[in-house]
Amino acid sequence: MEKPNSSLSPQLRLLLLLVIVTASSRCRAENNVVGGRGKQSTGVAFFIFGDSFLDAGNNNYINTTTLDQANFPPYGRTFFNFPTGRFSDGRLLPDFIAKYAKLPLIPPFLQPGNNIDHMAMGVNFASAGAGALVETFQGDVIDLQTQLGNMKKVGKGLRNKLGKEERDAKISGGVYMFSIGSNDYMSPFLTNSSSSLLFHASSSRFVAMVLANLTAVVKDIYGMGGRKFVFMNVPTLGCLPAMRLLMKNPNGKCYEEQVSELAKLHNARLSTVVLPRLARELKGFKYSLFDFSTSLHRRMTHPSNYGLKEGEEACCGTGKWRGIDSCGGKRSVKKEFEVCNNPTEYLFWDSFHLTDTAYHQMAREIWNPTPPPSSTITKTSPLAIVGPYTLHQLFHAAIHH
């Protein structure tokens, strides 16, 4: 049981700020060696949009609640050895993808000290808690439309720095990754707000609004010159430790109604309607869809097949499944939380997010897939979890655009 001090002195606050700034500087320094800005780099820019599954630290620099921040221990403890703002014990999916693409760690848009040279290899615009709808956690996050606006600022900066021709080549050759929708569907249940759009529309219409906003942003980026896109679908939200605890399913299993139904409807429309339509309508549009939901479910139900010991309980938190979002003590009234001894054995790091180990495995799956263990394949769980392009193919296509 860890019991952090809830009343930080000004000196301790200053020290924590210095740690975060140092962390950002160390990440940039490591990028130059590990990420390969030199001869090893593919030269393909990587732009990242979405929520806490992808946020590399933008929420460190906005006025928000601790619910939407991860810039305090024990976050980051197993790889960076300090909190970076990532909702994990270590790295996230984009960090591993960047490594495979021989790119540096992609910096958060709001990270102090960023300049257009840092951003030439890509930018992370994602914000924990963000949704496709402006109304989702409004005022506490950087919504998807604002993230698009930030991308346009980068595009303008690239043009001023590189000139129109080189800027256009950078944008058209770039890869654009999205994880969005989870917060749109969870927020009405987490906030218990009767003013939510969900309570004034059918499930079908609500999902349509989320996907329409995502589509509009994708088309806007396409209009800027973007052609290569990566999409994560939405996990079965009723299986996340926090939602299982909140929804109080009496049998202790995943909550399959309401929030999970929204996720399933979103995923079905994204894969069978939205993305195929974009591919038909937009010349040169190429995409990779990562079935995050299936990948996560396989590890929940068969953790040992993936070298994990625990597929349901989180490593950090309190309560059943450690589903109380108290990791770090700042989100809990009692300021107490539990942390497992070995996060590498766990699928979930906290009550909503995954471990460095889980993200590493998933990144390998979508970069250059191999068949999953046969025992994890069912009639409702397809063999392939990424397509029609793998990420390796997509980055290769970006090089030869």
Side-chain angles (χ1 to χ4, degrees):
M1 182 78 70
E2 296 191 29
K3 299 180 180 180
N5 188 344
S6 60
S7 57
L8 297 177
S9 67
Q11 293 85 353
L12 194 53
R13 288 195 186 97
L14 177 60
L15 178 61
L16 183 57
L17 177 61
L18 289 173
V19 167
I20 293 171
V21 172
T22 303
S24 298
S25 300
R26 179 177 165 184
C27 284
R28 286 196 292 270
E30 289 178 348
N31 280 341
N32 292 328
V33 178
V34 180
R37 289 187 183 274
K39 295 179 181 179
Q40 294 287 326
S41 175
T42 61
V44 177
F46 188 22
F47 300 102
I48 301 154
F49 302 81
D51 50 34
S52 56
F53 290 125
L54 303 182
D55 182 4
N58 280 304
N59 279 20
N60 293 348
Y61 311 108
I62 64 173
N63 184 18
T64 186
T65 67
T66 55
L67 289 173
D68 295 317
Q69 289 181 322
N71 55 353
F72 46 84
Y75 287 93
R77 70 189 301 174
T78 61
F79 179 76
F80 298 100
N81 297 317
F82 46 73
T84 65
R86 291 167 172 82
F87 281 78
S88 178
D89 60 306
R91 294 158 290 184
L92 306 178
L93 266 176
D95 299 319
F96 292 106
I97 294 168
K99 179 180 178 180
Y100 297 151
K102 296 183 173 61
L103 293 170
L105 291 174
I106 305 302
F109 174 74
L110 295 179
Q111 180 174 282
N114 271 348
N115 57 45
I116 205 63
D117 291 324
H118 292 134
M119 296 181 180
M121 287 292 95
V123 188
N124 189 319
F125 302 100
S127 170
L133 303 177
V134 175
E135 294 82 3
T136 298
F137 297 124
Q138 190 168 14
D140 288 324
V141 302
I142 308 167
D143 63 82
L144 187 60
Q145 191 65 37
T146 302
Q147 292 179 35
L148 172 65
N150 291 337
M151 173 65 205
K152 291 180 177 180
K153 292 177 184 176
V154 170
K156 184 177 180 180
L158 288 172
R159 178 168 179 168
N160 292 339
K161 176 74 175 181
L162 306 175
K164 183 179 185 303
E165 184 176 347
E166 192 173 344
R167 173 267 187 196
D168 290 350
K170 181 70 69 175
I171 296 295
S172 64
V175 173
Y176 302 82
M177 185 173 188
F178 289 83
S179 168
I180 205 75
S182 295
N183 292 304
D184 296 301
Y185 304 130
M186 288 192 296
S187 61
F189 304 97
L190 294 173
T191 61
N192 197 27
S193 172
S194 60
S195 64
S196 168
L197 293 174
L198 176 59
F199 295 105
H200 299 279
S202 65
S203 294
S204 179
R205 187 181 174 195
F206 187 67
V207 170
M209 286 190 288
V210 170
L211 290 172
N213 280 21
L214 170 60
T215 300
V217 169
V218 170
K219 286 185 174 180
D220 223 326
I221 293 173
Y222 179 89
M224 293 175 63
R227 294 295 183 269
K228 320 295 190 300
F229 294 84
V230 181
F231 301 93
M232 294 170 60
N233 69 8
V234 174
T236 304
L237 299 170
C239 289
L240 302 181
M243 298 305 291
R244 293 176 74 174
L245 190 66
L246 177 68
M247 307 307 280
K248 298 178 181 178
N249 197 341
N251 61 16
K253 296 182 179 179
C254 295
Y255 195 80
E256 299 293 345
E257 300 177 14
Q258 294 179 310
V259 68
S260 289
E261 289 178 349
L262 289 167
K264 290 177 182 178
L265 184 57
H266 172 101
N267 292 346
R269 289 189 178 175
L270 180 66
S271 63
T272 63
V273 179
V274 174
L275 296 180
R277 183 171 59 208
L278 286 171
R280 289 194 306 270
E281 294 178 354
L282 305 179
K283 183 179 179 181
F285 177 87
K286 292 182 172 65
Y287 72 92
S288 175
L289 173 60
F290 170 36
D291 189 352
F292 181 41
S293 179
T294 293
S295 183
L296 185 64
H297 187 261
R298 285 175 178 167
R299 286 167 173 78
M300 287 190 66
T301 54
H302 302 281
S304 61
N305 287 340
Y306 297 90
L308 304 172
K309 291 185 178 179
E310 178 55 60
E312 295 186 344
E313 182 179 82
C315 172
C316 187
T318 49
K320 192 171 184 179
W321 303 295
R322 293 197 176 114
I324 297 175
D325 191 18
S326 61
C327 188
K330 292 193 174 185
R331 305 185 184 104
S332 172
V333 174
K334 295 182 178 180
K335 307 299 180 187
E336 297 179 358
F337 62 98
E338 302 168 346
V339 185
C340 66
N341 292 326
N342 190 357
T344 63
E345 298 176 345
Y346 281 69
L347 173 61
F348 289 100
W349 162 247
D350 66 14
S351 54
F352 288 98
H353 308 98
L354 310 188
T355 59
D356 178 286
T357 296
Y359 284 129
H360 193 180
Q361 292 179 358
M362 291 178 178
R364 287 198 301 265
E365 284 182 337
I366 59 179
W367 181 260
N368 195 15
T370 57
S374 58
S375 60
T376 67
I377 302 171
T378 67
K379 290 181 179 179
T380 58
S381 176
L383 176 62
I385 63 161
V386 63
Y389 289 89
T390 68
L391 266 68
H392 179 271
Q393 292 169 333
L394 205 61
F395 272 84
H396 183 78
I399 297 170
H400 298 95
H401 63 275

